[in-house]
Amino acid sequence: MEQATTDVTLPAPDDVISHSTVTSGTGCGGNLTAPSGGPLTSPNYPGNYGNNENCEWLITVPEGSIIRLTFDSFHTEKGYDFLTIYDGASDNATEIKRLTGYHPQISPIISTSNTLFLRFRSDGKKSRQGFQFSYISSTAGQCWDPGVPTNGNRDNNSNFTSGQTVRYTCMDGYQLRGTANITCQPNGTWTGSTPTCGGK
Ligand SMILES: [Ca+2]
């Protein structure tokens, strides 16, 4: 399983605000232009969203960067209320994922370019808590901080440029699950997911 609780370092709040029209919030949609942002949520979160919601988020990061979306939670009325994620600036772009129902864990969603478009639509009855997500961008040749698993260590805490490797080990009594070594690729993504350290 993908480790969802990586220790991603976000820029200082002042830095985010200076680049952005919306950085976080529980409103319905927004236009996001900061290099990273969140948490963003469905309307009224952590209360239930309303009926007949139609929310759109457009994320635009600097050209040459890609976007990595991570979800903290996701629960909508299965089969009736949908969050759709498109790999571009509008719903004309390729659909990456269409989410509905309850998902305790969602693998990070990575764009192929510097824009992502999200639309949330609920129907006329029954609602749930909704969802919360954040995003971070990486430029070509520079990967995001892949984090450290709980009960684990890594040999590289700061150099996440293309070609650099992070090697993970687990503390005594814990077993590494996943790939011990991941390498930053030229496109700004890692060769694998951050491993986890579980009980033996
Ligand atoms: Ca509904």
Side-chain angles (χ1 to χ4, degrees), residues 37-60:
L40 295 144
T41 69
S42 48
N44 196 42
Y45 187 92
N48 286 10
Y49 54 79
N51 294 322
N52 303 307
E53 301 277 16
N54 184 5
C55 310
E56 296 177 349
W57 290 266
L58 173 61
I59 303 172
T60 308

Side-chain angles (χ1 to χ4, degrees), residues 146 148-149 151 172 174:
V148 185
N151 302 311
D172 285 349
Y174 294 90

